Coordinates of all heavy atoms in Angstrom, one line a residue:
N23 N -0.1 -10.7 -43.5 CA 0.7 -10.0 -44.4 C 1.8 -9.2 -43.6 O 1.8 -9.4 -42.4 CB -0.2 -9.0 -45.2 CG -1.0 -8.1 -44.4 OD1 -0.5 -7.5 -43.4 ND2 -2.2 -7.8 -44.7
L50 N -1.5 -28.6 -43.8 CA -1.5 -29.0 -42.4 C -0.8 -27.9 -41.5 O -1.4 -27.5 -40.5 CB -0.6 -30.3 -42.2 CG -1.2 -31.6 -42.5 CD1 -0.2 -32.7 -42.1 CD2 -2.5 -31.8 -41.6
G55 N -2.3 -23.2 -37.7 CA -2.3 -21.8 -37.2 C -1.0 -21.1 -37.4 O -0.8 -20.1 -36.7
G93 N -1.4 -25.0 -51.1 CA -1.9 -25.6 -49.8 C -2.3 -24.5 -48.8 O -2.9 -24.9 -47.7
H96 N -4.1 -19.1 -45.0 CA -4.0 -18.0 -44.0 C -2.5 -17.5 -43.9 O -2.3 -16.3 -43.7 CB -4.5 -18.6 -42.7 CG -4.3 -17.6 -41.6 ND1 -5.1 -16.5 -41.4 CD2 -3.5 -17.6 -40.5 CE1 -4.7 -15.9 -40.3 NE2 -3.7 -16.5 -39.8
F98 N 1.5 -16.4 -44.3 CA 2.2 -15.5 -45.2 C 3.4 -16.4 -45.8 O 4.1 -17.1 -45.1 CB 2.8 -14.4 -44.3 CG 3.5 -13.3 -45.1 CD1 2.8 -12.5 -46.0 CD2 4.9 -13.1 -44.9 CE1 3.5 -11.5 -46.7 CE2 5.6 -12.1 -45.6 CZ 4.8 -11.3 -46.5
L145 N 15.8 -4.1 -54.3 CA 14.5 -4.9 -54.2 C 13.4 -4.0 -53.6 O 12.3 -4.0 -54.0 CB 14.8 -6.2 -53.4 CG 15.7 -7.2 -54.1 CD1 15.9 -8.4 -53.2 CD2 15.2 -7.6 -55.5
R174 N 29.7 -15.4 -31.2 CA 30.1 -15.6 -29.8 C 31.1 -14.6 -29.4 O 31.3 -14.3 -28.2 CB 30.6 -17.1 -29.6 CG 29.5 -18.1 -29.5 CD 30.0 -19.3 -28.8 NE 28.9 -20.1 -28.2 CZ 28.6 -21.4 -28.6 NH1 29.4 -22.0 -29.5 NH2 27.6 -22.0 -28.0
A192 N 18.1 -0.2 -45.3 CA 18.1 -0.4 -46.8 C 16.7 -0.9 -47.3 O 16.4 -0.9 -48.5 CB 19.1 -1.4 -47.2
I196 N 11.7 -7.9 -42.6 CA 11.9 -8.7 -41.4 C 13.3 -9.3 -41.5 O 14.0 -9.2 -42.5 CB 10.8 -9.8 -41.3 CG1 10.9 -10.9 -42.4 CG2 9.4 -9.3 -41.3 CD1 10.0 -12.1 -42.1
G207 N 20.5 -12.4 -29.8 CA 19.1 -12.2 -30.1 C 18.5 -11.0 -29.4 O 17.8 -10.2 -30.0
Q208 N 18.9 -10.8 -28.1 CA 18.4 -9.7 -27.3 C 19.0 -8.4 -27.9 O 18.2 -7.4 -28.1 CB 18.9 -9.9 -25.9 CG 18.5 -8.7 -25.0 CD 16.9 -8.7 -24.7 OE1 16.4 -9.6 -24.1 NE2 16.3 -7.7 -25.3
I219 N 12.7 -13.1 -36.6 CA 12.3 -14.5 -36.4 C 13.6 -15.3 -36.1 O 14.5 -15.1 -36.9 CB 11.7 -15.1 -37.7 CG1 10.5 -14.1 -38.3 CG2 11.2 -16.5 -37.5 CD1 9.4 -13.9 -37.4
T241 N 13.4 -36.1 -39.7 CA 14.9 -36.0 -39.9 C 15.6 -37.1 -39.1 O 15.3 -37.3 -37.9 CB 15.4 -34.6 -39.4 OG1 14.6 -33.6 -40.0 CG2 16.8 -34.4 -39.8
F248 N 18.7 -26.6 -31.1 CA 17.5 -25.8 -31.0 C 16.3 -26.6 -31.4 O 15.1 -26.1 -31.3 CB 17.6 -24.5 -31.8 CG 18.0 -24.7 -33.3 CD1 17.2 -25.2 -34.2 CD2 19.3 -24.4 -33.7 CE1 17.6 -25.4 -35.5 CE2 19.7 -24.5 -35.0 CZ 18.8 -25.0 -35.9
Q264 N 0.1 -28.3 -34.2 CA -0.6 -27.4 -33.3 C 0.1 -27.2 -32.0 O 0.1 -26.1 -31.4 CB -2.0 -28.0 -33.0 CG -2.9 -27.8 -34.2 CD -4.2 -28.7 -34.2 OE1 -4.2 -29.8 -33.5 NE2 -5.3 -28.2 -34.8
V270 N 5.1 -21.9 -29.3 CA 5.7 -20.6 -29.7 C 4.9 -19.5 -29.1 O 5.4 -18.5 -28.5 CB 5.8 -20.5 -31.2 CG1 6.2 -19.1 -31.6 CG2 6.8 -21.5 -31.8

Side-chain angles (χ1 to χ4, degrees):
N23 58 41
L50 279 183
H96 175 73
F98 186 67
L145 296 180
R174 280 203 161 119
I196 66 174
Q208 180 69 70
I219 310 300
T241 310
F248 53 76
Q264 285 168 331
V270 172

